[in-house]
Amino acid sequence: MNVKHSNNSTNKSSCKVTDDICLPDSSLPRVVIIGGGFAGLALVEKLKHKEVQVVLFDKNNFHQFQPLFYQVATSALEPDSIVFPFRKQFKGYKNVVFRLAEVEEIQPSSNTLITSKGKVHYDYLVLATGTTTNFFGMDSVAQNSLGMKDIRDSLNIRHMMLQNLEQAAITCNDDERDALTNFVIVGGGPAGVEMAGALAEFCKYILPKDYPEYPSSIMNIYLIEANEELLSTMSDKASSKTLEYLKDLNVKVLFNESVSDYDGSEVSTKSGKKILAKNLIWTAGVKGQFPKGVEEKHVVKGNRIKTDSYLKVEGFKNIFAIGDIAAMITENTPKGHPQVAQTAIQQGKYLGESLLKLMKNKHIKPFHYKDKGSLATVGKRKAVADLGKFKFAGYFAWLLWSIVHLLSISGFRNRLMVGFNWAVSYFTYEKSNRLIIRNFKPQTVNQQTKPKIDNKEEVENITR
């Protein structure tokens, strides 16, 4: 498919949605990728320097390393340590173009994308848009809590935490102090477990030094899990060891519980429990996000796009989906592949090879996911690992987790910064990024400063 793409709006001072986005003229097939996460970047790397024009669209001008969001949130890392500019990443890639815009609609009949900055035509389209936080229709929880799916979320959590700890040192109201220093994390997956462990270490090692006004025991950390075990996608050994680590760090784990409401000051569960807390971090679920143009019949549970065994979106010949947004439903994967970085990277690499073969009318093999294992950390020298038949925990698992994550970060400078911060933290437990750069102002449903208490005795039983 050799189509020469040209744009006539180069000299216009501003673009309308009906204008073409300016791109280099090329007679090569154009592959447009929406989303620069792990899947999108893996695909770009596979197509660089090939006989194809690659155009990446993203609403941010940087790639973000999501597995370490929790460390930014707990002041262990600065945000620029785990983000990397796309243009710097693509330096020297002559066939790769980046455009900062949000894709609003797909028009498959004309092979056109409508974006916030204009329109663009494609020969092949790849959806790698990832997921967003899923609050399961609970508006009050969505409005008053914070998810952790964006670097801005991590900064908001950091600012919220530090502001509330400062306010707790000021207030003389015991109930308000309890709410300001209680932290509730919803979801016992890797993100929730790692966040709980990091907060617990902050409470144990940082709080006594920074806030001598009150004892560190005043800071309570709750981890709420709807199922009966943590890390449900990992082994029983990993789950039980993680629970042991969290209990050693004084994290209060509540199993078979789910949040039913949150007004900004009080967490309510379906069993009737209530917890005073002005800090609620939601890691309990995600849902796919993608532009208009994909029919509802192609969308499955979790708002994911159903694909065939070649990652092609059902009903289309030249539209593909990879990463967290893709759901390849087969007998072996009735719920699709796990929404983890390894899946996204493998699918990106596979699709890059497949597209190059497709353009040359060569045979393509179906996608097969190779599970390389799972890792999760709870704190310094505390981690769990499932690597095939090998299940282990402790220092070696933590060391392996550290090496794998450090090598996965984009850019030598970023690896150096993260490695240095980790080395300092290893010997001192120091978290040097405890700065409130900007005020965090939550848009809460209940703006009262004093916590709402329906049953004081019941609340005290949970929060003390």
Side-chain angles (χ1 to χ4, degrees):
M1 185 182 295
N2 293 321
V3 181
K4 185 172 182 178
H5 302 281
S6 61
N7 298 275
N8 299 318
S9 58
T10 308
N11 297 324
K12 295 186 179 181
S13 59
S14 62
C15 287
K16 301 177 182 178
V17 174
T18 55
D19 294 330
D20 285 345
I21 288 179
C22 185
L23 294 172
D25 287 339
S26 174
S27 60
L28 299 173
R30 178 181 291 168
V31 177
V32 175
I33 307 167
I34 309 175
F38 289 113
L41 276 192
L43 176 56
V44 170
E45 290 296 320
K46 213 63 181 172
L47 295 178
K48 68 180 181 182
H49 308 312
K50 303 298 183 181
E51 293 297 311
V52 60
Q53 185 185 51
V54 181
V55 183
L56 175 69
F57 281 96
D58 199 287
K59 60 183 178 182
N60 299 309
N61 73 333
F62 53 82
H63 168 73
Q64 38 193 355
F65 191 72
Q66 292 190 25
L68 294 183
F69 279 171
Y70 79 96
Q71 293 204 8
V72 173
T74 54
S75 303
L77 294 174
E78 274 298 321
D80 59 351
S81 300
I82 60 169
V83 297
F84 200 79
F86 288 125
R87 292 189 178 277
K88 187 174 181 179
Q89 181 94 13
F90 302 152
K91 186 179 180 181
Y93 298 5
K94 294 183 179 180
N95 68 322
V96 178
V97 180
F98 169 71
R99 291 295 180 261
L100 180 66
E102 190 162 2
V103 178
E104 298 172 344
E105 185 180 351
I106 306 168
Q107 296 182 346
S109 59
S110 59
N111 287 350
T112 304
L113 289 183
I114 303 299
T115 79
S116 57
K117 302 292 179 65
K119 66 179 181 178
V120 67
H121 298 277
Y122 62 83
D123 296 317
Y124 301 93
L125 176 64
V126 181
L127 303 175
T129 45
T131 57
T132 187
T133 304
N134 188 0
F135 292 99
F136 303 101
M138 293 185 288
D139 293 337
S140 61
V141 177
Q143 192 168 2
N144 292 296
S145 66
L146 287 172
M148 203 163 51
K149 291 296 293 179
D150 186 275
I151 192 67
R152 300 171 185 85
D153 294 334
S154 298
L155 285 171
N156 284 338
I157 292 172
R158 187 179 87 178
H159 293 137
M160 173 189 71
M161 174 180 71
L162 296 175
Q163 285 176 198
N164 286 347
L165 291 176
E166 293 293 344
Q167 182 61 31
I170 293 171
T171 184
C172 294
N173 184 296
D174 291 339
D175 290 328
E176 183 180 15
R177 187 182 294 111
D178 282 344
L180 289 165
T181 56
N182 286 343
F183 290 77
V184 176
I185 302 157
V186 184
V193 162
E194 290 172 352
M195 186 68 193
L199 276 175
E201 288 192 338
F202 185 98
C203 173
K204 185 175 182 179
Y205 299 105
I206 303 299
L207 206 67
K209 295 186 294 184
D210 280 15
Y211 300 92
E213 295 91 340
Y214 46 78
S216 58
S217 59
I218 198 172
M219 182 174 169
N220 293 302
I221 301 166
Y222 300 87
L223 180 59
I224 299 178
E225 169 56 43
N227 297 313
E228 56 187 14
E229 63 177 359
L230 301 172
L231 301 176
S232 59
T233 59
M234 296 184 69
S235 65
D236 292 339
K237 181 177 180 179
S239 177
S240 60
K241 200 66 180 178
T242 298
L243 179 60
E244 179 185 324
Y245 288 149
L246 289 175
K247 285 184 175 180
D248 289 343
L249 290 168
N250 295 319
V251 175
K252 299 172 177 61
V253 183
L254 306 180
F255 289 112
N256 299 311
E257 280 285 6
S258 55
V259 172
S260 59
D261 194 20
Y262 179 55
D263 64 3
S265 294
E266 184 179 277
V267 180
S268 301
T269 70
K270 289 187 177 179
S271 69
K273 292 180 180 177
K274 297 184 184 299
I275 306 173
L276 289 181
K278 287 190 177 246
N279 309 278
L280 179 63
I281 302 166
W282 189 273
T283 67
V286 295
K287 59 182 179 180
Q289 55 178 356
F290 49 88
K292 297 178 182 178
V294 179
E295 295 182 37
E296 191 173 339
K297 64 183 179 180
H298 302 308
V299 180
V300 297
K301 186 177 180 180
N303 209 41
R304 300 170 75 182
I305 299 174
K306 189 177 181 181
T307 73
D308 62 15
S309 298
Y310 305 94
L311 299 177
K312 187 185 300 180
V313 178
E314 290 191 343
F316 302 100
K317 294 182 178 180
N318 60 343
I319 300 179
F320 301 81
I322 56 176
D324 290 353
I325 193 65
M328 195 178 98
I329 309 297
T330 65
E331 290 184 4
N332 296 326
T333 57
K335 297 180 180 180
H337 291 95
Q339 292 169 292
V340 295
Q342 268 303 318
T343 305
I345 293 169
Q346 289 183 34
Q347 289 183 345
K349 291 179 178 179
Y350 162 84
L351 185 58
E353 295 174 352
S354 296
L355 287 174
L356 294 174
K357 290 180 180 179
L358 186 63
M359 294 170 192
K360 297 178 180 179
N361 295 318
K362 291 185 177 181
H363 175 69
I364 302 171
K365 295 181 180 180
F367 171 75
H368 290 289
Y369 173 62
K370 297 179 181 179
D371 187 355
K372 297 182 178 180
S374 301
L375 299 165
T377 182
V378 185
K380 188 168 78 172
R381 296 192 292 269
K382 297 181 178 72
V384 292
D386 287 352
L387 303 179
K389 295 180 181 179
F390 300 98
K391 325 279 185 193
F392 52 94
Y395 177 79
F396 184 69
W398 172 81
L399 188 63
L400 182 62
W401 178 94
S402 301
I403 293 171
V404 168
H405 283 72
L406 194 61
L407 294 178
S408 300
I409 296 172
S410 296
F412 174 77
R413 173 184 171 274
N414 287 27
R415 294 191 195 106
L416 192 63
M417 290 174 64
V418 172
F420 176 77
N421 275 279
W422 284 356
V424 171
S425 178
Y426 181 83
F427 292 106
T428 67
Y429 280 103
E430 179 62 27
K431 296 178 184 290
S432 59
N433 303 302
R434 304 187 298 276
L435 305 174
I436 303 174
I437 304 298
R438 54 177 170 77
N439 288 331
F440 171 67
K441 297 179 180 179
Q443 296 181 349
T444 58
V445 174
N446 181 5
Q447 293 290 346
Q448 297 177 0
T449 57
K450 186 175 181 179
K452 174 185 173 184
I453 304 174
D454 294 329
N455 187 330
K456 187 172 182 179
E457 182 178 354
E458 184 177 15
V459 172
E460 288 179 345
N461 288 336
I462 298 297
T463 59
R464 297 297 180 184

